[in-house]
Amino acid sequence: MDADRRLRDSEARLFAHYGLEREEFFVDLAAAGVRLRVQSIGSGPSLVFLHGVSLSSAVWTPWLHEFANYRVLLVDLPGHGLSGPVSCDVRTVRDHSVKLLDAVFDALALDEAAVIGHSLGGMFALWHAASRPGRIRSLTAIGDPAVAFPGVHVRMPLSPMTVPILGTAMLRVPLSRTLYRRLLGQGLSPGAAASASDELVDSLRFAARRPANAATVASLMHAINRFRRPRPASVLSEGERRRITAEPLFCWGADDPFLTPAHVRPAVAEIRSATLEVVPGGHAPWLDSPDSCAELVTDYLAATGFGSAL
């Protein structure tokens, strides 16, 4: 069975497991030079979900019942899930990510967007909000937004991915469900990994092993990070933080392994009307504390003009 068929079969089981009906479509983004897959669930105000690095949009499925009154738009970022690949460059990765999100919002006919981003997805959204104030009107960053803030430590299992050739080889290794779950525990939290269904673990591990995905993720990790620290250009400066107008919500796991809430508070305070909420859990707190995260996010969405249609 080829990689894409294996991934599609595992995703079909995953969405059935959670009782979710979805529509899949692809958008060709000429400005960003990539073809992306989007999955749409439900109806109501549109929410754009952006996942973290080496994961896929499947990672949100255990939480989506909390957004039953929204139109959830699950985007597979380039080189993730079933989206097309890109080759990332140190000099252009930020500019490309901004153009990418502009193209995504245009393709989805969103003049003003509500974005929920995890890790890499949160960083892309913050980079965009600093560069294009106003288009993202509601921005929820769940977990440390990759290396957008100063003080991040690039830890296992991410640090080896920053090394050319080694990163691609590491990502392409066929891991069993048990070993991949252990890797998730390192990157997210032991609790999140333990709670992940077999269907979710399979969807994520099969997506990561696609050859084009492995090459994209490795080039991305090298573009934004050195081995243990982010590249300086990846980190939002104080001036950039002050330019953000989206009044974002940061939903931060108390035990996030990459950056603690205490260390990030001063930087978050420089963003106008930003809110930092600390919840139990690690780097993917919606898997550790789904109810707490959902209440914070839905209240925030309503306050920013994206309340659900009840």
Side-chain angles (χ1 to χ4, degrees):
M1 187 184 298
D2 66 29
D4 285 10
R5 176 57 62 86
R6 187 179 291 113
L7 174 55
R8 284 192 176 280
D9 287 351
S10 63
E11 286 186 338
R13 292 191 295 272
L14 172 67
F15 281 85
H17 177 80
Y18 287 102
L20 297 170
E21 295 185 5
R22 57 186 169 140
E23 296 180 5
E24 175 190 84
F25 58 95
F26 288 82
V27 291
D28 291 299
L29 308 180
V34 68
R35 186 175 193 243
L36 297 190
R37 179 179 68 155
V38 180
Q39 297 179 92
S40 175
I41 300 170
S43 61
S46 294
L47 303 180
V48 178
F49 282 72
L50 304 175
H51 59 80
V53 73
S54 80
L55 301 174
S56 76
S57 58
V59 77
W60 298 109
T61 51
W63 202 40
L64 295 183
H65 65 279
E66 302 283 1
F67 300 93
N69 297 306
Y70 289 89
R71 182 191 182 209
V72 168
L73 295 164
L74 304 175
V75 177
D76 279 340
L77 290 170
H80 294 77
L82 286 170
S83 286
V86 295
S87 181
C88 300
D89 183 271
V90 173
R91 297 161 297 180
T92 59
V93 63
R94 279 188 65 167
D95 183 59
H96 182 268
S97 75
V98 171
K99 290 178 179 176
L100 174 77
L101 291 193
D102 271 338
V104 168
F105 301 149
D106 288 346
L108 299 176
L110 300 175
D111 293 329
E112 294 181 317
V115 175
I116 298 175
H118 169 237
S119 194
L120 178 73
M123 181 175 73
F124 279 7
L126 287 166
W127 283 353
H128 186 282
S131 179
R132 306 268 202 275
R135 183 132 197 211
I136 296 179
R137 191 157 62 85
S138 177
L139 198 173
T140 301
I142 302 190
D144 164 38
V147 293
F149 289 120
V152 172
H153 292 270
V154 182
R155 304 169 33 128
M156 285 290 292
L158 299 182
S159 47
M161 297 180 194
T162 67
V163 181
I165 302 177
L166 174 61
T168 303
M170 173 186 170
L171 288 158
R172 291 196 63 184
V173 170
L175 297 178
S176 68
R177 188 184 290 159
T178 299
L179 287 176
Y180 188 85
R181 193 184 294 275
R182 189 176 302 166
L183 200 67
L184 274 184
Q186 285 185 302
L188 303 181
S189 74
S195 70
S197 66
D198 289 346
E199 293 85 356
L200 176 55
V201 171
D202 286 347
S203 296
L204 296 177
R205 70 189 178 101
F206 292 144
R209 279 167 49 186
R210 294 178 78 221
N213 288 4
T216 294
V217 170
S219 73
L220 172 62
M221 291 300 293
H222 179 70
I224 65 176
N225 295 318
R226 298 189 175 113
F227 186 66
R228 292 291 188 186
R229 296 284 185 180
R231 296 185 185 277
S234 301
V235 181
L236 291 168
S237 67
E238 179 181 344
E240 289 172 323
R241 294 192 289 269
R242 294 190 183 281
R243 282 205 297 271
I244 295 171
T245 62
E247 302 184 357
L249 168 67
F250 294 90
C251 186
W252 212 284
D255 299 314
D256 194 301
F258 300 104
L259 187 63
T260 67
H263 281 95
V264 80
R265 280 191 187 281
V268 168
E270 293 166 349
I271 301 175
R272 187 177 76 186
S273 300
T275 302
L276 175 62
E277 297 284 358
V278 181
V279 296
H283 190 50
W286 77 93
L287 295 175
D288 294 292
S289 306
D291 294 341
S292 298
C293 288
E295 183 177 3
L296 290 170
V297 174
T298 53
D299 286 351
Y300 168 74
L301 288 168
T304 53
F306 290 89
S308 65
L310 297 176

